[in-house]
């Protein structure tokens, strides 16, 4: 297993649209294991392949308190979304230190494949629903700050660029 570098906003590679996973092989298993290790190490609850510069429709998640409920979601599609919405405070491993409110469907049902390529369905509520929608956005090249006002987004962009410059110098 290995820790993978996480792309940081506003890296243009975060806007890449991921392609479906087609090969369920050892390389995919390794990628999944590395993504879990990277996510847990960074204290995240979800990580999309896009964030580690791998542009296939693959997400790893674990929203449990105990960090023992890993979930692998491959080639997800939303089957249905509730008209009921919730507003949650979101953060992102690609936008470290920034948290803001985003409105999402409270419940989504998704169809996806597991790591063996088996078809699955899942009805997700609340935090898991938010997390799935957030990670599915990454696969479409979308970062949560794009839901914020242009003013806020530009402020975040400036802050991120400055932080990355400082990190590069040190
Ligand atoms: Ni994110």
């Amino acid at each position: 297993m290995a820790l993978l570098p996480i792309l940081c906003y506003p890296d243009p590679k975060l806007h890449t649209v991921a392609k479906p996973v087609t090969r369920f092989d050892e390389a995919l298993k390794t990628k999944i294991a590395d993504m879990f290790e990277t996510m847990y190490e960074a204290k995240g609850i979800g990580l999309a392949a896009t964030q580690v510069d791998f542009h296939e429709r693959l997400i790893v998640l674990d929203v449990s308190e105990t960090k023992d409920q890993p979930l692998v979601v491959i080639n997800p599609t939303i089957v249905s979304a509730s008209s009921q919405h919730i507003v949650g405070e979101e953060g992102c491993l690609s936008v470290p230190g920034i948290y803001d409110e985003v409105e999402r469907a409270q419940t989504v049902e998704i169809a996806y494949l597991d790591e063996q390529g088996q078809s699955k369905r899942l009805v997700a509520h609340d935090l898991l629903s938010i997390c799935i929608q957030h990670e599915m956005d990454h696969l479409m090249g979308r970062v949560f700050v794009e839901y914020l006002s242009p003013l806020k987004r530009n402020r975040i962009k400036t802050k991120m660029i400055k932080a990355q410059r400082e990190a590069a110098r040190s």
Side-chain angles (χ1 to χ4, degrees), residues 81-87 103-107 133:
S82 65
S83 51
Q84 199 121 8
H85 284 207
I86 40 168
V87 175
E103 189 179 333
R104 306 270 188 189
Q106 182 160 22
T107 301
Q133 292 172 76

Side-chain angles (χ1 to χ4, degrees), residues 124-139:
H125 306 285
D126 305 318
L127 180 60
L128 183 58
S129 172
I130 289 172
C131 196
I132 286 171
Q133 292 172 76
H134 176 118
E135 302 311 335
M136 283 182 72
D137 274 352
H138 276 303
L139 301 181

Side-chain angles (χ1 to χ4, degrees), residues 3 17-19 27 38 42 70 72-74 90 119 129 138 143 147 150 156:
L3 288 176
V17 177
K19 295 190 170 68
T38 304
V72 178
V73 171
I74 296 170
E90 294 189 22
S119 291
S129 172
H138 276 303
V143 180
Y147 291 108
I156 292 167

Side-chain angles (χ1 to χ4, degrees), residues 51 91-94 134-135 138 144:
Q51 294 176 272
C92 180
L93 296 178
S94 293
H134 176 118
E135 302 311 335
H138 276 303
F144 87 100

Side-chain angles (χ1 to χ4, degrees), residues 84-124:
Q84 199 121 8
H85 284 207
I86 40 168
V87 175
E89 175 115 309
E90 294 189 22
C92 180
L93 296 178
S94 293
V95 199
I98 303 292
Y99 301 88
D100 215 318
E101 289 182 339
V102 179
E103 189 179 333
R104 306 270 188 189
Q106 182 160 22
T107 301
V108 288
E109 181 178 5
I110 57 165
Y112 65 100
L113 303 176
D114 68 11
E115 59 182 302
Q116 276 83 41
Q118 301 290 322
S119 291
K120 299 270 179 172
R121 290 257 180 156
L122 171 71
V123 178

